[in-house]
Amino acid sequence: MTTELASQMMAIAIEQAGAPSVLKPVKRSVPHPAKGEILIRVKAAGVNRPDVLQRQGHYPPPAGASDLPGLEVAGDVAAIGEGVERYKVGDAVTALLAGGGYAEYVTVYEGNALPLPSGYGYVEAAALPETFFTVWHNVVQRGQLQAGETLLIHGGSSGIGTTAIQLGKALGAKVIITAGSAEKCSACLKIGADVAINYREQDFVEQVKAATNNKGADVILDMVGGDYVDRNYDAAAIEGRIVQIAFLGGAKAKANFAKLMTKRLTHTGSTLRARDIAFKAQIAAELESKVWPLLASRTITPVMDMIYPLKDAWRAHERMEEGNHIGKIVLDVG
């Protein structure tokens, strides 16, 4: 089922690997939804670190995915493919994508889309999927965070970090974050972090031990890697779980792995983009059941940084690379 659609759309393509300036507006054909897919008329698209890595040539899209950057959008259903059961044309949705979000239209499997939380507009809704899917899978499913435990989040002021702070608190955990400035630490405390550590001025291992009566953190969400690997082992509690989601500080490190044995640690990690649609649909279902009500009540809210028009996606990437953002950067497509 379709309504009258344009045949062409504006999109932002990666001209070649390089600096933000390689992001260029292009004309592309409007995609058609396959069986089980919906076509979204995009109103807003989230900007994430994997988009930057893809632009730099370090994170190619998985097989079969769009070559356009963009892992999350919000908009209206413009057409539906055969077999779609939940959505109809005109429904407002937000969705997790394997790529293609920097465009006026994108297709996605219907199970990887969710209705907008009650009271949310497109810009806020576009800031939800990538971070909430990532945090839910890594902190809750892999990290097994429980009420009463301590969660340490590196990069607390990022989109992932601000989401993890609020979700950790909603789950009943004590939340400790690291960030690189007094301003970022203050912002994290305002949204619920119990302890904020300025890693440029303080040793996070010492501070975590001091804040936990020398017990350490039960779950550590790390996007740094590098020399943080060994230090995370020091900061972790007995039976602690370290979950790796990125390696901004390097994917290779020297570490004393005897700590894994003596502390009975679990060091795991994941990537989300290449996982199959059924796996993502299962996360979507859990989010809708357990997190969407918290968003609707504003118990949890996305922390918004800057909004740019789609044609200025390069400016959004500059903002992210500068590292001064707090929360989510979003492109206004509509």
Side-chain angles (χ1 to χ4, degrees):
M1 175 182 176
T2 60
T3 56
E4 192 66 32
L5 296 171
S7 61
Q8 296 284 299
M9 66 178 184
M10 188 181 92
I12 300 296
I14 300 169
E15 191 176 47
Q16 62 190 47
S21 59
V22 304
L23 293 172
K24 300 292 187 183
V26 296
K27 285 289 186 180
R28 288 281 182 94
S29 296
V30 173
H32 294 282
K35 183 176 181 179
E37 290 185 339
I38 58 175
L39 176 69
I40 300 173
R41 182 181 288 107
V42 179
K43 301 292 187 180
V47 176
N48 294 281
R49 183 70 59 179
D51 304 343
V52 172
L53 294 174
Q54 179 177 337
R55 192 205 75 229
Q56 293 170 340
H58 303 315
Y59 193 32
S66 170
D67 65 313
L68 301 173
L71 302 178
E72 59 185 349
V73 297
D76 297 325
V77 176
I80 60 174
E82 179 188 348
V84 169
E85 297 179 351
R86 177 167 189 184
Y87 297 109
K88 63 183 185 299
V89 171
D91 285 348
V93 296
T94 184
L96 182 73
L97 315 170
Y102 290 16
E104 292 179 314
Y105 291 89
V106 69
T107 56
V108 66
Y109 172 63
E110 69 165 335
N112 295 169
L114 287 162
L116 268 59
S118 178
Y120 277 65
Y122 298 112
V123 170
E124 271 193 312
L128 300 176
E130 171 67 12
T131 54
F132 277 90
F133 276 72
T134 298
V135 172
W136 186 262
H137 176 53
N138 289 287
V139 173
V140 178
Q141 294 181 337
R142 301 189 77 82
Q144 295 289 305
L145 181 68
Q146 304 296 315
E149 291 190 323
T150 297
L151 170 64
L152 170 61
I153 304 161
H154 292 304
S157 61
S158 66
I160 293 286
T162 54
T163 298
I165 290 168
Q166 296 179 79
L167 192 55
K169 292 304 294 180
L171 293 170
K174 178 175 183 175
V175 175
I176 303 172
I177 67 95
T178 65
S181 71
E183 179 190 10
K184 289 181 177 181
C185 286
S186 177
C188 291
L189 291 170
K190 286 179 181 176
I191 63 170
D194 297 288
V195 179
I197 302 164
N198 185 337
Y199 65 80
R200 299 185 192 279
E201 299 177 356
Q202 299 170 295
D203 183 296
F204 77 77
V205 176
E206 292 178 359
Q207 295 300 312
V208 168
K209 289 183 176 180
T212 58
N213 198 25
N214 217 39
K215 177 178 180 287
D218 300 288
V219 179
I220 301 175
L221 183 65
D222 183 31
M223 59 188 76
V224 181
D227 66 359
Y228 272 37
V229 172
D230 193 58
R231 296 167 72 193
N232 283 335
Y233 294 170
D234 288 329
I238 301 295
E239 304 280 2
R241 290 86 71 196
I242 299 117
V243 189
Q244 205 74 45
I245 59 168
F247 290 102
L248 298 178
K252 297 182 180 180
K254 290 183 178 180
N256 180 357
F257 293 109
K259 298 169 191 172
L260 281 172
M261 298 165 62
T262 57
K263 285 188 167 184
R264 302 184 296 279
L265 302 177
T266 299
H267 189 172
T268 184
S270 73
T271 60
L272 184 59
R273 188 179 189 183
R275 298 299 293 266
D276 62 45
I277 56 176
F279 175 81
K280 294 173 186 175
Q282 175 256 324
I283 297 177
E286 291 191 23
L287 288 173
E288 185 170 10
S289 169
K290 297 173 181 175
V291 178
W292 253 228
L294 298 175
L295 288 163
S297 67
R298 296 284 172 175
T299 302
I300 296 176
T301 57
V303 177
M304 307 301 291
D305 182 76
M306 296 284 282
I307 303 164
Y308 297 92
L310 178 62
K311 65 182 179 61
D312 291 341
W314 64 273
R315 292 175 58 203
H317 277 228
E318 278 192 343
R319 173 73 176 166
M320 181 160 280
E321 288 192 313
E322 287 165 359
N324 295 323
H325 63 289
I326 296 173
K328 294 286 296 190
I329 301 169
V330 173
L331 301 174
D332 184 344
V333 182

